[in-house]
Every structure is written in structure tokens, then in C-alpha cells.
């Protein structure tokens, strides 16, 4: 079992996953609680964040029937930085070994990084041996010069430490700190999309996180600090209603494309204080929401053009995250990007599929998939201790104990015969 903890701006989601015999992932526990103490992916109140994490973890433990000891946690925010780097080393003995691969990765990450930044990921893109390029795994190949292109991702050291501190305050260990859009890519993108070229846009409450994949490797990551919370604020300001009511109106009635909302549909809007509630058309609400969504997609497109990959993603755009659920968001995105756009939900997941098949859980499921890829599954079993009694395990223990007792008795008899 492996546990993923998605600490977002609006919610904390804890998922417990188990790898089945057929290799597929089954979700056996889900916990979700409103995030208090987070803003745009960063911790602004440790006590509130600790309480939110504890509630989500307790719900997941109760549903899965297990004790959670450590988690893979997501990180996001405007403090995330990334760059592509190149390394080159001489191959010892004329054949590439694991040590040579480690040396070339070390050479590629030997770039100046600010002292307040902490390296989160070093992701190999491709290797070259002498004049042969496009190698994914150079192990065992012959050559004299090994080169590597890698993607380095770093985050503000203090921001990452604050998230780790909150988790440790809950009595949990941290198996790994994973970039949010990298985790979402594991659960939302197909291998064909990653090979052909695709841009994932994970739109949450605080940030819109981007990841560009090309030739099966990640080539660009960035964060746009405008997302779902700004939509809620726009509704609150335009309709003169408290934020909590604006959030409810957004979830129940909002539409990202005004042409899909009828002007004959009216919405009751609570007013501030003791003032009487008012009625507005759903079309008027959609006009407010459409302007903000168009801005979000335009900012993503500008970043994509700056990166130089706008013309290199024939698979188009894949949107995920809670804010992508808005009616009309995909159609508006296609109009802004002028390329194919689809909304993605976690794939290849069994168990609670009626709940997990939702963009809200893309990062949480992706964290588990990332943990499965990175860890030894035998060791991963130690991360979660089951509360349920397994009779078969008891039998194995009993047989092992009996074997040990018989062996000890035979040794004693042999010692007595040889000495008396």
C-alpha cells in the first residue's frame, strides 16, 4: 500500500492505494477535508494546515482500515522554478554502467541554483553516446562519451520545509515531495500523448500548473498564479455576495461559456448582511466567469509560447484539476488555444471508481502511481500496517516458529550425543 497526500489551496485529499495482482491500482481509502492555512499552494498557517491534514488522514485510515505512517506529498506554488541542463562524461571501460549514468546526471545538475531553492526533481530526458542520440536507457551500451539532457525542478526551501513540518506534526513521515503537475501527469496522460507532445494544465483553486511532455519526457514546467479562487472572487464582487455563497453559486450554476447559459434561467443570490436576496440570470453570471477563464487560458498560452513548445505539442492540451470541471471550460479552452483540448480524469484505477474518476483526484492518484514507480513494493508494505487480522499470515508465523523449535531441538540432541 502507498499513500498520496495532495495538500492544495482549497482542500487536502488523502488517498490509500494498493497494487493488485494484475498490476492495476486499487484505491482502498479516501479522505478529504477543506484546506485552511494554505494560499496559492503555500502554507500561511501551520496549525490550520496540520488540522486539515489530520482530518483527511483520519478519514482515509477509517475507510481503508489501516494505520498510515508515511505519505508522498504534492507541492505547488509560484516559488517553483525549472530549467533544462546538459551533462557530459567519459565512459569508463568502454561500456556504460550504472555508475557512469550517475556521474553524467551529477554533471548535468552542476548548475548554479539560488541558496534559498531546493532541488525537487532531476528528470532525465534523453542520453547520447558518441554521435548516437535519442537513447532512453544507455545501460550496457558501448561508447567513449556519454551525454545527458535533464530537466531540473526546484522549489523554495522554506515553502517545502513548511509542508514537511506540517506532515511531521501529524506524526507522519515523508516518503517524497512531488511536484503537483508531475504527479497529475502520471494519472492523466497516456504514453502516446507523452511521446507525441502534450501540455498538461492542472487548474486548482490557487494556481494553474503546467507540464509540457515531448518524446516521453518532461521538457518544461511552470506555474500560473491565477485559478479557481479568482473566479470565486469575481463572482463575489460582481454579484455583491459573501465569498462562501459565491463559491456555492460557482459550483452549482456557473458556466465558462456564456453561449451555453440561457438568459431565461434565474439564480437567487444572497446579499451581504440583512439585505434581501436578489435574482440574476445565469447568462449574466456566465459572462463574469467566462472573462476570468479566458484570462487563465490566455496566461497559459503566453507561457507556452515563451517556452518555445507551443508548436511542438500535436497532442494538444489536457486540462485537469477541480477548476477544469466547469461547464464550457473545454470548449472555451479550444477557442483560446486553437488546438485539441480534452479534460482528463485518473486512468487505470480500480476501486471507488465512481468517486475517483474526477479531475479533483488527479494529483492524489498520481502521487500513488509515482510512489509505485519510485519505491520497492516490498518495502512499501511497511508504510501502512493493517488493523485487520490475516489468518494466513498467522499460519505462516506459526509454521516458522515450529520449524525454528524443531531445528533447535535437533541441535540440542546432536550436542548431547557428541558430548556425553
Amino acid at each position: 500500500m502507498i499513500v498520496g497526500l495532495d495538500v492544495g489551496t482549497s482542500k487536502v485529499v488523502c488517498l490509500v492505494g494498493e497494487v493488485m495482482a494484475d498490476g492495476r491500482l486499487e484505491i482502498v481509502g479516501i479522505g478529504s477535508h477543506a484546506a485552511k492555512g494554505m494560499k496559492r499552494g503555500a502554507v500561511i498557517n501551520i496549525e490550520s494546515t496540520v488540522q486539515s491534514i489530520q482530518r483527511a488522514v483520519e478519514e482515509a485510515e477509517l475507510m481503508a482500515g489501516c494505520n498510515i505512517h508515511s505519505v508522498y506529498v504534492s507541492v505547488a506554488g509560484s516559488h517553483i522554478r525549472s530549467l533544462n541542463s546538459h551533462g557530459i562524461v567519459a565512459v569508463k571501460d568502454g561500456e556504460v554502467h550504472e555508475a557512469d549514468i550517475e556521474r553524467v546526471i551529477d554533471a548535468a545538475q552542476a548548475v548554479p541554483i539560488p541558496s534559498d531553492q531546493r532541488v525537487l526533481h532531476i528528470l532525465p530526458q534523453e542520453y547520447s553516446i558518441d554521435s548516437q542520440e535519442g537513447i532512453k536507457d544507455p545501460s550496457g551500451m558501448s561508447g567513449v562519451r556519454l551525454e545527458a539532457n535533464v530537466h531540473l525542478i526546484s522549489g523554495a526551501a522554506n515553502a517545502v520545509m513548511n509542508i514537511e513540518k506540517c506532515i511531521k506534526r501529524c506524526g507522519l513521515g515523508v516518503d517524497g515531495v512531488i511536484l503537483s503537475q508531475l504527479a497529475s501527469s502520471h494519472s492523466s496522460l497516456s504514453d502516446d500523448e507523452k511521446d507525441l507532445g502534450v501540455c498538461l494544465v492542472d487548474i486548482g483553486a490557487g494556481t494553474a500548473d503546467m507540464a509540457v511532455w515531448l518524446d516521453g519526457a518532461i521538457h518544461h514546467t511552470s506555474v500560473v498564479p491565477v485559478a479557481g479562487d479568482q473566479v470565486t472572487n469575481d463572482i463575489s464582487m460582481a454579484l455583491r455576495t459573501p465569498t462562501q455563497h459565491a463559491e456555492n453559486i460557482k459550483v452549482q450554476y456557473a458556466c465558462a461559456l456564456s453561449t451555453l447559459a440561457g438568459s431565461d434561467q434565474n439564480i437567487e443570490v444572497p446579499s451581504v448582511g440583512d439585505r434581501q436576496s436578489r435574482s440574476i440570470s445565469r447568462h449574466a453570471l456566465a459572462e463574469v466567469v467566462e472573462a476570468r477563464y479566458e484570462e487563465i487560458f490566455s496566461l497559459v498560452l503566453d507561457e507556452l509560447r515563451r517556452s518555445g513548445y507551443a508548436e511542438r505539442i500535436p497532442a494538444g492540451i489536457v486540462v485537469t484539476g477541480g477548476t477544469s470541471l466547469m461547464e464550457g471550460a473545454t470548449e472555451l479552452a479550444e477557442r483560446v488555444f486553437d488546438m485539441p483540448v480534452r479534460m482528463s480524469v485518473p486512468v487505470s484505477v480500480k476501486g471507488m471508481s465512481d468517486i475517483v474518476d474526477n479531475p479533483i483526484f488527479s494529483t492524489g492518484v498520481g502521487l500513488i502511481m509515482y510512489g509505485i514507480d519510485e519505491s520497492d513494493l516490498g518495502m512499501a508494505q511497511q508504510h501502512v500496517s493493517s488493523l485487520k487480522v490475516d489468518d494466513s499470515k498467522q499460519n505462516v508465523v506459526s509454521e516458522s516458529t515450529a520449524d525454528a523449535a524443531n531445528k533447535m531441538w535437533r541441535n540440542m540432541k546432536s550436542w548431547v550425543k557428541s558430548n556425553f
Side-chain angles (χ1 to χ4, degrees), residues 270-283:
S271 298
V272 180
D274 297 330
R275 297 179 180 86
Q276 190 174 4
S277 60
R278 295 164 292 109
S279 179
I280 68 161
S281 68
R282 187 166 181 253
H283 185 270

Side-chain angles (χ1 to χ4, degrees), residues 289-318:
V289 174
E290 180 179 354
R292 181 61 77 175
Y293 266 82
E294 190 168 356
E295 181 195 15
I296 294 172
F297 293 139
S298 296
L299 290 172
V300 171
L301 180 59
D302 290 343
E303 177 62 30
L304 196 55
R305 286 170 175 165
R306 277 195 297 270
S307 70
Y309 290 99
E311 305 299 328
R312 302 178 63 186
I313 49 171
I317 307 291
V318 175

Side-chain angles (χ1 to χ4, degrees), residues 342-370:
R342 74 173 180 90
M343 185 184 71
S344 178
V345 298
V347 295
S348 302
V349 178
K350 295 174 63 178
M352 304 185 190
S353 58
D354 55 331
I355 301 175
V356 179
D357 287 350
N358 190 312
I360 292 174
F361 297 106
S362 291
T363 301
V365 173
L367 288 170
I368 298 176
M369 291 181 170
Y370 186 94

Side-chain angles (χ1 to χ4, degrees), residues 6 8 11 74-77 178-189 199-212 222-228 296-297 300 317-325 337 342 344 358-367:
D6 177 17
K11 69 185 183 312
S74 64
V75 64
I178 317 302
L179 185 66
S180 179
Q181 57 263 49
L182 176 60
S184 298
S185 297
H186 277 69
S187 65
S188 302
L189 300 180
C199 177
L200 175 80
V201 184
D202 186 349
I203 313 174
T207 59
D209 306 319
M210 298 171 54
V212 177
S222 60
V223 177
V224 175
V226 182
I296 294 172
F297 293 139
V300 171
I317 307 291
V318 175
V319 293
T320 190
T323 304
S324 69
L325 276 171
F337 290 111
R342 74 173 180 90
S344 178
N358 190 312
I360 292 174
F361 297 106
S362 291
T363 301
V365 173
L367 288 170

Side-chain angles (χ1 to χ4, degrees), residues 156-225:
N158 289 338
V160 178
M161 287 173 61
N162 284 334
I163 291 179
E164 291 178 334
K165 186 179 295 184
C166 291
I167 294 172
K168 290 175 182 176
R169 288 272 293 271
C170 296
L172 301 173
V174 179
D175 292 324
V177 179
I178 317 302
L179 185 66
S180 179
Q181 57 263 49
L182 176 60
S184 298
S185 297
H186 277 69
S187 65
S188 302
L189 300 180
S190 67
D191 291 338
D192 290 339
E193 287 173 327
K194 293 178 182 178
D195 290 336
L196 190 60
V198 68
C199 177
L200 175 80
V201 184
D202 186 349
I203 313 174
T207 59
D209 306 319
M210 298 171 54
V212 177
W213 288 79
L214 189 65
D215 296 328
I218 198 164
H219 280 249
H220 178 74
T221 52
S222 60
V223 177
V224 175

Side-chain angles (χ1 to χ4, degrees), residues 208-259:
D209 306 319
M210 298 171 54
V212 177
W213 288 79
L214 189 65
D215 296 328
I218 198 164
H219 280 249
H220 178 74
T221 52
S222 60
V223 177
V224 175
V226 182
D229 280 351
Q230 279 67 38
V231 178
T232 303
N233 291 338
D234 287 350
I235 295 173
S236 179
M237 296 292 289
L239 306 187
R240 298 186 182 90
T241 186
T243 304
Q244 62 270 25
H245 293 305
E247 179 67 24
N248 293 334
I249 291 172
K250 181 183 77 171
V251 173
Q252 296 179 27
Y253 305 108
C255 178
L257 206 56
S258 57
T259 54

